Amino acid sequence: MQLLNSLCHIPAPAGNEVALTRFILNYVRQMSPGWQHQPTVIADERFQDCVLLVFGQPRTAVFAHLDSIGFTVRYGRQLVPIGGPRAEAGYRLVGHDSQGEIECTLTIDDETGELGYAFHRDIDRGTELTFYCDFRETATTVQSCYLDNRLGVWNALRLCETLEHGIIAFSCWEEHGGGSVAYLARFIYETYGVRQALISDITWVTEGVRPGLGCAISLRDSLIPRRSYVDRIRAIAAESGIPHQLEVEGSGGSDAKELQLAAAPWDWCFVGAPEDHVHSPDELVDKRDIESMRQLYQVLLQKL
Amino acid sequence: MQLLNSLCHIPAPAGNEVALTRFILNYVRQMSPGWQHQPTVIADERFQDCVLLVFGQPRTAVFAHLDSIGFTVRYGRQLVPIGGPRAEAGYRLVGHDSQGEIECTLTIDDETGELGYAFHRDIDRGTELTFYCDFRETATTVQSCYLDNRLGVWNALRLCETLEHGIIAFSCWEEHGGGSVAYLARFIYETYGVRQALISDITWVTEGVRPGLGCAISLRDSLIPRRSYVDRIRAIAAESGIPHQLEVEGSGGSDAKELQLAAAPWDWCFVGAPEDHVHSPDELVDKRDIESMRQLYQVLLQKL
Amino acid sequence: MQLLNSLCHIPAPAGNEVALTRFILNYVRQMSPGWQHQPTVIADERFQDCVLLVFGQPRTAVFAHLDSIGFTVRYGRQLVPIGGPRAEAGYRLVGHDSQGEIECTLTIDDETGELGYAFHRDIDRGTELTFYCDFRETATTVQSCYLDNRLGVWNALRLCETLEHGIIAFSCWEEHGGGSVAYLARFIYETYGVRQALISDITWVTEGVRPGLGCAISLRDSLIPRRSYVDRIRAIAAESGIPHQLEVEGSGGSDAKELQLAAAPWDWCFVGAPEDHVHSPDELVDKRDIESMRQLYQVLLQKL
């Protein structure tokens, strides 16, 4: 889990993912010689801070978003959320501005509910703050901020070790309205003819999706994927014998939103481990679900 | 109205429209030899479960969505809505799962308002349920679930009988956030240069749009179409002498949303009969408005 | 300010911008011979009522929306808003319908809050009404309806006087959900390879953005632009010595929304003067902020 630990420590709030992009590119450069198949790495200004890894003759693309939730410093000592972070007074936040490194705490106004920070000095307007990373591992669990979606990124990087045919797409802005998947999807569809997608992201523990019972295959969230594609994925998962769970929600979203609305006929399915304490510094995932997610992606990329 | 009756009985909740797609393709195969002009039928994996019928040298495309509202089975005996169905305890719902056919009733928790079902057994997670179809016809009205939008589909199929130049586009997911019109519109614009659209769909009876006074031409709903295009349609309708009404709303939407936001300069207008008891099992439309809609589309496709 | 005065008087509610389009085309025809460089004017049915002015070898596109907020006449004497106008009983509204010119007043139902109009006769269904224009200029301020966004349009037209390389894009529907920037952006990106944008629009006076302190550079609103691009703009602005302010908001939007979600990798930044009494007939802007905006755009188009 050293790789996951490293990924969770790198600040990459939506819109400013560049530090994580550099880490990914460096990691690929260092590790890919040991992978079974070598990908083409696509990362230039046409793709902003996104990265594409193209293996063999791809039929399916895996989307894993790099960005995280966080906060932007507004005026006075106000904060504005990036995405939908959970907010509790006392959360430790980190960042840096023109005056140096910052470690401050989140405050919440009792009356107005307005978010702010407590720090010994004012922080530059527009500075991004992210959760302080306290990475905790036990025999059965991993706990940290930003498992959503560093675990999805980790899963995609582990998949690279054995992947023969497929595309890994590391996207930006997922937590804050999207903004990169539309052009990634267009490039992938027009260049490779690929229109099958898996969303490598983290979902919620609920009354129907329990920790330890395996990776979740989502039948729907706020959007509804094409039934026939999801049914194919369910059949492959069932045949594989890998533990998994079926999720049905009426809310929530992912990079799939941009695929669904793209000007190309994308089939997509969200396949990811469930976590507890979503969007907090204490996101918690069961290691069995991580292992199930890793195995499921290997099989799905072969069979789809 | 036998065709409309058949259309209303086929389950096609958003995301799983395939049964209706097959019906349409079969109908076109059987009936098109009797039409005045033969269309090119386009229906393959590039268009998921959508169907395009291209007649002659098209200038205008008619969009009619295949999908309907409904419910997805969640956990326990909970239901999650597909689109925005009206919900009343006791509504009869149908579907099927791994254990066979289902006919159950809708329940609503008195305290939480949570939707559920009453049935003698648990239903598989992710199963789609749709309203039981009780099709009722009188001398002056038609009443059934899913007149929205089987009546729009019916109107498009009837239009085919005489259509010389034009495109019929049967779309998916309209009731649940969209997902097919973006790529249909792109294909149509890039292949045929067509950027005029009519939305063959059903609207609401309100204080300003009354049953029996003719098909509604919508001047706006939650979106506002380009005025100059709508004015051309109004002029053609006025000149035709066919009864019609002008609708002005601040809410509601249709397949036009994806046209409006498309990366192509689509002009669009919603033209459809009004119904009462919207999104319930008892949608009610006046036959005069159906006839007005049918006639209006014939004229508009000739004159636009 | 005669040009701005003229621009504010022309009705162009979202969806019916054509009068302003004609004014712009006429203005360009008359004035461009005096500009330092001649643009290519692109305005035809592929762009609906939008206008593109292309200068030299462009690297950056400036988007200025033509449309404004307003009201649509519904049934009875009801009004439906176009965009998000401020509504106060007694506001003077103007328009015209089949019976001639209209000058009426806005009414608000005490109990329901429903919008309506008071006039000596019924107004045709679907008629658009806009604020009566009372243009007021002092030594230090300009006040009128529709400074949002006639001031952004004015700024773009003034920029044309000296512009060597760049694109001016006059867009439609910004105030009501968008609908033209997607195709403008696609054409610009595919034809010229341009993917840098500035949004020439008007923002809000707040506790952090004060009148008279210079044009605002927005670090974010409801969407978050790519940090590295905004940082480049900040550096150019700082080096220029032109007064400006940094804005950080959690809500609000602009033409940038369609750029952010486009199937192309647009970098964008909102750069515009702040106004008080937003979306009312009394929008108020400090002349120093107008001058700062004008100067900043000149520098940015040279340096970006």
Side-chain angles (χ1 to χ4, degrees), chain B residues 20-130:
Chain B
L20 189 52
T21 306
R22 287 197 195 115
F23 179 92
I24 297 281
L25 288 172
N26 194 45
Y27 178 89
V28 170
R29 208 161 16 239
Q30 292 192 319
M31 304 302 283
S32 59
W35 297 347
Q36 290 182 14
H37 307 274
Q38 299 305 307
T40 302
V41 180
I42 302 177
D44 56 56
E45 278 295 305
R46 291 174 300 164
F47 303 95
Q48 296 180 319
D49 298 315
C50 301
V51 176
L52 291 173
L53 306 177
V54 182
F55 291 81
Q57 278 81 47
R59 299 178 309 275
T60 304
V62 174
F63 289 84
H65 73 86
L66 298 174
D67 62 297
S68 79
I69 53 174
F71 303 88
T72 316
V73 174
R74 194 174 177 248
Y75 316 132
R77 297 201 161 191
Q78 299 170 339
L79 295 179
V80 182
I82 297 170
R86 188 186 295 191
E88 286 188 19
Y91 276 172
R92 293 165 73 186
L93 304 177
V94 296
H96 68 270
D97 68 2
S98 65
Q99 297 177 68
E101 294 303 304
I102 298 155
E103 188 179 327
C104 60
T105 55
L106 182 65
T107 63
I108 303 179
D109 188 285
D110 282 343
E111 289 183 14
T112 64
E114 198 172 73
L115 302 176
Y117 63 85
F119 195 45
H120 64 81
R121 63 167 173 88
D122 281 354
I123 302 175
D124 289 352
R125 196 175 279 201
T127 301
E128 293 122 345
L129 301 175
T130 52

Side-chain angles (χ1 to χ4, degrees), chain C residues 3 15 20-21 38 57 83 88 97 121 135 141 150 162 179 192 197 200 206 213 221 223 233 236 241 288 292 303:
Chain C
L3 172 59
L20 189 52
T21 306
Q38 298 307 306
Q57 278 81 48
E88 285 187 19
D97 68 1
R121 62 167 174 87
F135 192 89
T141 63
R150 302 308 153 76
T162 57
Y192 304 101
S200 178
T206 62
L213 300 185
D221 49 30
L223 290 177
I233 287 169
I236 294 169
R288 290 169 291 184
S292 152
K303 299 277 177 75

Side-chain angles (χ1 to χ4, degrees), chain C residues 1-303:
Chain C
M1 300 272 100
Q2 184 50 47
L3 172 59
L4 181 59
N5 189 330
S6 299
L7 290 169
C8 288
H9 275 86
I10 300 167
N16 197 3
E17 299 87 349
V18 66
L20 189 52
T21 306
R22 287 196 196 115
F23 179 91
I24 297 280
L25 288 172
N26 195 45
Y27 178 89
V28 170
R29 209 161 15 238
Q30 293 192 316
M31 303 302 285
S32 60
W35 296 348
Q36 290 183 14
H37 307 274
Q38 298 307 306
T40 303
V41 180
I42 303 177
D44 58 55
E45 277 296 306
R46 291 174 301 163
F47 303 95
Q48 296 179 319
D49 298 314
C50 301
V51 176
L52 291 173
L53 306 177
V54 182
F55 291 81
Q57 278 81 48
R59 300 177 308 275
T60 304
V62 174
F63 288 84
H65 72 86
L66 298 175
D67 62 297
S68 80
I69 52 174
F71 303 88
T72 316
V73 174
R74 194 173 177 249
Y75 316 130
R77 297 200 161 192
Q78 299 171 339
L79 296 178
V80 183
I82 297 170
R86 188 185 294 191
E88 285 187 19
Y91 277 171
R92 293 165 73 186
L93 304 177
V94 295
H96 68 270
D97 68 1
S98 65
Q99 297 176 69
E101 294 303 304
I102 298 155
E103 188 179 328
C104 61
T105 56
L106 182 65
T107 63
I108 304 179
D109 188 284
D110 282 344
E111 288 183 14
T112 64
E114 199 171 72
L115 303 175
Y117 63 85
F119 195 45
H120 65 81
R121 62 167 174 87
D122 281 355
I123 302 175
D124 288 352
R125 196 174 281 201
T127 301
E128 294 121 346
L129 300 175
T130 52
F131 289 134
Y132 169 86
C133 181
D134 175 19
F135 192 89
R136 289 148 281 175
E137 187 178 353
T138 71
T140 57
T141 63
V142 178
Q143 187 163 29
S144 173
C145 60
Y146 302 138
L147 293 179
D148 172 5
N149 184 37
R150 302 308 153 76
L151 196 45
V153 171
W154 177 91
N155 177 62
L157 288 172
R158 294 297 311 273
L159 178 62
C160 289
E161 298 173 7
T162 57
L163 187 61
E164 185 170 5
H165 302 294
I167 294 174
I168 309 295
F170 293 108
S171 66
C172 296
W173 280 298
E174 191 271 349
E175 295 288 5
H176 200 89
S180 67
V181 170
Y183 65 74
L184 293 172
R186 183 179 177 186
F187 175 80
I188 291 169
Y189 181 64
E190 297 190 350
T191 308
Y192 304 101
V194 169
R195 52 182 188 70
Q196 296 186 140
L198 295 174
I199 309 301
S200 178
D201 199 347
I202 302 306
T203 187
W204 314 322
V205 166
T206 62
E207 69 264 49
V209 174
R210 307 306 307 162
L213 300 185
C215 179
I217 297 174
S218 174
L219 307 186
R220 60 168 289 182
D221 49 30
S222 66
L223 290 177
I224 300 176
R226 192 180 175 209
R227 182 79 189 196
S228 55
Y229 181 65
V230 173
D231 283 349
R232 283 175 59 210
I233 287 169
R234 290 174 64 175
I236 294 169
E239 196 191 31
S240 74
I242 299 163
H244 63 276
Q245 310 178 66
L246 300 180
E247 180 183 75
V248 179
E249 289 295 337
S251 60
S254 71
D255 272 340
K257 188 177 179 188
E258 288 183 82
L259 294 178
Q260 177 74 4
L261 296 177
W266 282 89
D267 283 329
W268 56 270
C269 186
F270 184 109
V271 179
E275 73 172 22
D276 222 333
H277 312 301
V278 176
H279 283 193
S280 82
D282 304 307
E283 296 180 353
L284 179 70
V285 181
D286 190 296
K287 283 184 172 178
R288 290 169 291 184
D289 300 332
I290 297 175
E291 181 58 16
S292 152
M293 184 177 181
R294 201 183 61 75
Q295 290 180 15
L296 210 47
Y297 269 83
Q298 285 198 311
V299 174
L300 288 171
L301 268 284
Q302 286 165 16
K303 299 277 177 75

Side-chain angles (χ1 to χ4, degrees), chain B residues 57-281:
Chain B
Q57 278 81 47
R59 299 178 309 275
T60 304
V62 174
F63 289 84
H65 73 86
L66 298 174
D67 62 297
S68 79
I69 53 174
F71 303 88
T72 316
V73 174
R74 194 174 177 248
Y75 316 132
R77 297 201 161 191
Q78 299 170 339
L79 295 179
V80 182
I82 297 170
R86 188 186 295 191
E88 286 188 19
Y91 276 172
R92 293 165 73 186
L93 304 177
V94 296
H96 68 270
D97 68 2
S98 65
Q99 297 177 68
E101 294 303 304
I102 298 155
E103 188 179 327
C104 60
T105 55
L106 182 65
T107 63
I108 303 179
D109 188 285
D110 282 343
E111 289 183 14
T112 64
E114 198 172 73
L115 302 176
Y117 63 85
F119 195 45
H120 64 81
R121 63 167 173 88
D122 281 354
I123 302 175
D124 289 352
R125 196 175 279 201
T127 301
E128 293 122 345
L129 301 175
T130 52
F131 289 134
Y132 170 86
C133 180
D134 176 20
F135 192 91
R136 290 147 280 176
E137 188 178 352
T138 71
T140 58
T141 63
V142 178
Q143 186 163 29
S144 172
C145 60
Y146 303 137
L147 293 178
D148 171 5
N149 184 34
R150 303 308 152 77
L151 196 46
V153 170
W154 177 91
N155 177 62
L157 288 172
R158 295 296 312 273
L159 178 62
C160 290
E161 297 172 8
T162 56
L163 187 60
E164 185 170 5
H165 303 293
I167 294 175
I168 309 295
F170 294 108
S171 65
C172 295
W173 280 297
E174 190 270 348
E175 295 287 5
H176 200 89
S180 68
V181 170
Y183 66 74
L184 292 172
R186 183 179 176 186
F187 176 80
I188 291 168
Y189 181 64
E190 297 190 351
T191 309
Y192 304 101
V194 169
R195 51 183 188 69
Q196 296 186 142
L198 296 173
I199 309 299
S200 177
D201 199 348
I202 301 307
T203 187
W204 314 322
V205 166
T206 61
E207 68 264 48
V209 174
R210 307 306 307 161
L213 299 185
C215 178
I217 296 175
S218 174
L219 306 186
R220 60 167 291 184
D221 49 30
S222 64
L223 289 177
I224 301 175
R226 191 178 175 210
R227 183 78 189 197
S228 55
Y229 181 65
V230 173
D231 283 349
R232 284 175 59 210
I233 288 169
R234 291 173 64 174
I236 294 169
E239 196 192 32
S240 75
I242 299 164
H244 63 277
Q245 310 178 65
L246 300 180
E247 180 184 75
V248 179
E249 289 294 338
S251 60
S254 72
D255 272 340
K257 188 176 178 189
E258 289 183 81
L259 294 178
Q260 177 75 3
L261 296 178
W266 281 89
D267 282 329
W268 56 269
C269 186
F270 184 110
V271 179
E275 72 173 20
D276 222 333
H277 312 302
V278 175
H279 283 194
S280 82

Side-chain angles (χ1 to χ4, degrees), chain A residues 12-22 24 44 47-52 63-68 82 149 153 169-184 254-256 258, chain C residues 224-228 260-261 267:
Chain A
N16 197 2
E17 298 87 349
V18 67
L20 190 51
T21 306
R22 287 196 194 116
I24 298 280
D44 57 55
F47 304 94
Q48 296 179 318
D49 298 314
C50 301
V51 176
L52 291 173
F63 288 84
H65 72 86
L66 298 175
D67 63 296
S68 80
I82 298 169
N149 185 35
V153 171
F170 294 107
S171 66
C172 295
W173 279 297
E174 190 271 347
E175 295 287 6
H176 200 88
S180 67
V181 169
Y183 64 75
L184 293 172
S254 72
D255 273 340
E258 289 183 80
Chain C
I224 300 176
R226 192 180 175 209
R227 182 79 189 196
S228 55
Q260 177 74 4
L261 296 177
D267 283 329

